[in-house]
Amino acid sequence: MTLANGREFVLIPGPSILPDRVLNAMHRAAMDIYAGPMLGVTDDCQHGLKRIFGTDGDTYIYASNGHGTWEASLTNLFSKGEKILVLESGRFATGWGEMATMLGLDVEVLACDWHSAIDLDRLEERLRNDREQAISAILAVQVDTASGVVNDIGALRKATDAAGHGALLMIDAVASLATMPFDFDGWGVDVAVSGSQKGLMSPAGLGFVAVSARAKDKHRQAGLRTPYWDWTARDGKVHYQKYCGTPPEQLLFGLQEALKMIFEEGLPSVFRRHEAIADATRAAIAAWEAAGATFNIREPASRSNSVSVFCFEDDLATRIIDYCKVNCGVTLGGGLGQLVDQTIRIGHMGHVNPPTILGCLGSIDMALASMGKQLPQTGVGAASMALGRYAAETSHAQAQA
Ligand SMILES: *Cc1c(COP(=O)(O)O)cnc(C)c1O
């Protein structure tokens, strides 16, 4: 007997839930790629992405996932043997670094445990010791979906400035873009990469790269450039060149609609919603501490608003994930890398509202109840109280305004 038959909830940290509006916007026949509506869609998408990245600089849209944008950014900027510094804070910056090693770069990892944000003092010290400025670039992640950490990107640039170092700052915003602020120009970021299937609530298959003027200058000398990823080739006047071939038509219409939804809601409201939903999730995790749950990220201020990662002893996490899938139709993320087996990851990015998250958290309560765990307060109870308080504060603020 299962209760799972009903709408399925996929709350892994990407791909995220697809809004019906996005699905419907994609439902169209093949169209001309040289003229007509297709051209306007590219302009709309690039304009919207610039707003969300916070840049007036160039942005590129690839028919690729997030990994493609890693390769795009590396090949466009570097030559074999160049040195880069990877700031570990989970799985993803190091994954980007592994790709750089395969491409022939000299990669140094500033190692960190998977329970905290990047150590800014250590970064500054490492850069001060790089007297010849051999390090060309720094790679870091804004939100790491394996550990659940959020890094302060503006502070990374301040640390490089404090060390008097001119390295390019390259940021993976795949799991964070459109869930929290990104200020590419204001923070002094040189390259930011992202993808369509997380905060941007679109199908997987589109990759985005924002590029500073400084990075664009360096690009001209890069030895690793390849035809498909090349920025200069994609700067060509003809629309076809922007995709190095046929544009991923339907995906772009989906993204255009998602961006429209985001701007209708307003970016500040989108960020507040993510914060409220994440706070509610954290309230639930705190309630599950009575059943042995622990937050993976120790410092509360370093827990991200797009994914929550928490751990249980023994095989409890795996049993909860299985229970939710089979009995509730709720798909949760399991642990990655060194956190495999003991970890649950809940993706709360994109098209997520209170019933979505409460349904997910309530399913975990069901799983715990089925295993005989007694809790003073349920996770869903704690989360609904948190959301209720949030809604009351918001409407109070609106009444005052
Ligand atoms: C999901 C993710 C990626 C990889 O994106 P794909 O589209 O799966 O290639 C990279 N970085 C972060 C932080 C992610 O969360």
Side-chain angles (χ1 to χ4, degrees):
M1 145 82 192
T2 173
L3 305 174
N5 296 304
R7 196 189 257 285
E8 202 183 329
F9 281 32
V10 177
L11 285 151
I12 55 179
S16 65
I17 293 169
L18 291 172
D20 291 343
R21 273 178 66 178
V22 170
L23 289 170
N24 292 336
M26 292 192 299
H27 192 85
R28 57 181 74 219
M31 72 209 79
D32 192 352
I33 58 175
Y34 301 104
M38 202 56 246
L39 310 188
V41 174
T42 294
D43 285 346
D44 263 15
C45 289
Q46 282 194 331
H47 181 74
L49 289 168
K50 280 179 208 285
R51 268 178 79 182
I52 299 181
F53 274 122
T55 185
D56 295 326
D58 292 333
T59 53
Y60 297 90
I61 302 177
Y62 291 96
S64 84
N65 59 15
H67 282 75
T69 65
W70 284 354
E71 187 159 332
S73 56
L74 295 169
T75 56
N76 267 293
L77 280 171
F78 302 112
S79 303
K80 266 203 178 25
E82 262 190 270
K83 186 170 177 72
I84 60 168
L85 181 66
V86 169
L87 310 183
E88 182 183 22
S89 62
R91 180 70 197 96
F92 286 90
T94 44
W96 198 1
E98 284 156 17
M99 194 182 259
T101 302
M102 281 189 75
L103 287 166
L105 299 188
D106 175 8
V107 178
E108 178 180 328
V109 178
L110 196 71
C112 175
D113 67 37
W114 282 32
H115 307 290
S116 33
I118 293 163
D119 184 335
L120 297 167
D121 294 335
R122 278 185 57 217
L123 170 62
E124 192 182 321
E125 186 195 322
R126 178 64 192 92
L127 292 175
R128 274 188 204 285
N129 289 334
D130 182 32
R131 298 224 164 70
E132 283 104 63
Q133 305 245 342
I135 297 168
S136 295
I138 293 166
L139 271 56
V141 167
Q142 189 176 29
V143 168
D144 189 286
T145 11
S147 70
V149 80
V150 58
N151 288 304
D152 180 344
I153 304 306
L156 293 183
R157 175 51 87 202
K158 288 203 185 97
T160 67
D161 287 348
H165 202 289
L168 293 179
L169 183 57
M170 300 175 63
I171 302 299
D172 173 328
V174 178
S176 51
L177 198 70
T179 74
M180 63 175 291
F182 201 94
D183 188 6
F184 187 94
D185 292 349
W187 292 337
V189 176
D190 291 296
V191 171
V193 303
S194 196
S196 48
Q197 80 275 21
K198 298 193 183 179
L200 287 158
M201 0 186 243
S202 301
L206 295 177
F208 316 121
V209 182
V211 184
S212 73
R214 208 157 73 95
K216 208 61 187 288
D217 278 346
K218 181 164 168 51
H219 157 73
R220 298 196 175 87
Q221 277 86 49
L224 288 173
R225 287 165 61 172
T226 59
Y228 183 73
W229 303 117
D230 196 80
W231 292 333
T232 301
R234 284 169 183 254
D235 285 336
K237 289 271 171 300
V238 184
H239 184 257
Y240 190 76
Q241 291 173 289
K242 294 190 192 307
Y243 298 95
C244 191
T246 306
E249 299 184 318
Q250 284 73 10
L251 293 182
L252 291 165
F253 278 92
L255 175 67
Q256 180 191 40
E257 189 65 23
L259 290 166
K260 210 164 151 192
M261 290 175 69
I262 287 169
F263 295 125
E264 279 169 14
E265 184 177 351
L267 276 179
S269 304
V270 170
F271 300 154
R272 288 279 279 162
R273 176 167 54 80
H274 278 84
E275 186 180 57
I277 300 280
D279 274 341
T281 307
R282 291 186 281 257
I285 296 167
W288 296 326
E289 282 174 343
T294 50
F295 284 96
N296 182 56
I297 297 299
R298 294 191 195 103
E299 178 63 49
S302 298
R303 294 172 189 154
S304 84
N305 287 342
S306 43
V307 55
S308 290
V309 180
F310 55 107
C311 314
F312 284 102
E313 303 257 278
D314 306 323
D315 62 347
L316 194 53
T318 312
R319 281 162 57 212
I320 291 170
I321 292 171
D322 289 347
Y323 180 95
C324 288
K325 179 117 190 163
V326 173
N327 294 287
C328 306
V330 170
T331 306
L332 301 166
L336 292 185
Q338 56 175 255
L339 297 175
V340 76
D341 291 342
Q342 308 103 36
T343 305
I344 297 178
R345 298 182 305 144
I346 301 178
H348 32 74
M349 49 181 78
H351 198 55
V352 179
N353 61 10
T356 317
I357 197 67
L358 294 174
C360 164
L361 301 172
S363 302
I364 296 175
D365 284 325
M366 276 173 67
L368 289 168
S370 80
M371 294 162 197
K373 301 279 176 193
Q374 302 285 334
L375 293 172
Q377 190 186 20
T378 57
V380 74
S384 7
M385 304 286 256
L387 284 166
R389 277 194 301 272
Y390 171 87
E393 279 161 24
T394 307
S395 51
H396 181 70
Q398 277 164 356
Q400 302 267 304

